[in-house]
């Protein structure tokens, strides 16, 4: 799995010992890690890094976790991420506030690291199914990430690594319009500087392979925006 395929977890906490503990265990579980020590830094990190999952502590300096959650959800990168609010506040009203503010999940301190990692994986299954090995189906197209296999009907399709990752992104979010920049970030990674026209070349290759054995082109070009499946 390339770095671009490995899910990125942003840990937002002002307690160094807690950050170290979570970083160690999440890395051991196969995740990439980024950290932020306060709410303002978290908002900037989300815009810069585009994490898949954000572990957001409620009690933060400079900007509370609750307000950071609101601001993160207002950004394009934040709308794509899964936010798990982490807090010692255990009252029902607090949990409701956290979820209503935009969190996808809420975990109460103290918690077991095993449970937290299980929550991260559960949220990833909804967000990026292929990152947990889940097969995807769209009409007559099936993608199996564990065996690196793609079929259309009864035909096996042979895709290169880049086209495979492109197809996975499209199939995870049918109907979502991906800009070329978003596809570059998702498929190639944010540290790779490639011309956006490269996306057009690989989408063209993917379309050619998908339609080689017949069938309609499932990828839609959205003029002035990008591409979508369906």
């Amino acid at each position: 799995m390339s770095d671009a395929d490995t899910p990125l977890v942003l840990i937002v906490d002002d307690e160094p010992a807690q950050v170290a503990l979570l970083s160690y265990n999440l890395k051991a579980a196969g995740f990439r890690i980024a950290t932020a020590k306060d709410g303002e830094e978290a908002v900037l990190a989300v815009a810069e890094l585009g994490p898949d999952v954000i572990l957001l502590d409620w009690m933060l300096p400079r900007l509370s976790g609750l307000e950071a959650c609101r601001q993160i959800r207002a950004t394009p990168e934040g709308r794509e991420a899964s936010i798990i609010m982490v807090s010692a506040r255990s009252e029902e009203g607090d949990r409701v506030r956290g979820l209503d503010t935009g969190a996808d999940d809420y975990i109460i301190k103290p918690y077991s690291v095993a449970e937290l990692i299980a929550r991260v994986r559960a949220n990833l299954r909804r967000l990026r199914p292929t990152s947990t090995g889940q097969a995807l189906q769209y009409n007559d197209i099936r993608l199996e990430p564990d065996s690196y296999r793609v079929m259309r009907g009864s035909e096996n399709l042979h895709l290169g690594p880049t086209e495979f990752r492109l197809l996975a992104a499209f199939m995870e979010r049918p109907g979502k319009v991906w800009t070329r920049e978003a596809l570059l970030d998702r498929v190639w990674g944010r540290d790779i500087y490639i011309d956006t026209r490269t996306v057009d070349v690989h989408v063209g290759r993917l379309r050619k392979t998908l339609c080689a054995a017949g069938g309609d082109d499932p990828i839609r070009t959205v003029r002035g925006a990008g591409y979508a499946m369906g």
Side-chain angles (χ1 to χ4, degrees), residues 46-114:
V46 170
E48 180 182 346
L49 302 173
D52 297 290
V53 177
I54 304 164
L55 295 177
L56 183 60
D57 191 66
W58 183 314
M59 302 299 292
L60 292 170
R62 303 182 70 181
L63 191 70
S64 74
L66 212 60
E67 181 56 32
C69 185
R70 289 193 185 98
Q71 293 190 22
I72 288 167
R73 279 295 186 227
T75 66
E77 296 82 6
R79 286 193 291 272
E80 295 293 325
S82 181
I83 300 176
I84 302 176
M85 186 74 73
V86 182
S87 176
R89 296 170 178 260
S90 59
E91 296 296 323
E92 180 182 4
D94 294 321
R95 296 197 302 272
V96 170
R97 282 182 69 197
L99 296 170
D100 280 350
T101 301
D104 298 285
D105 201 353
Y106 191 101
I107 189 166
I108 299 169
K109 295 180 178 180
Y111 53 79
S112 75
V113 173

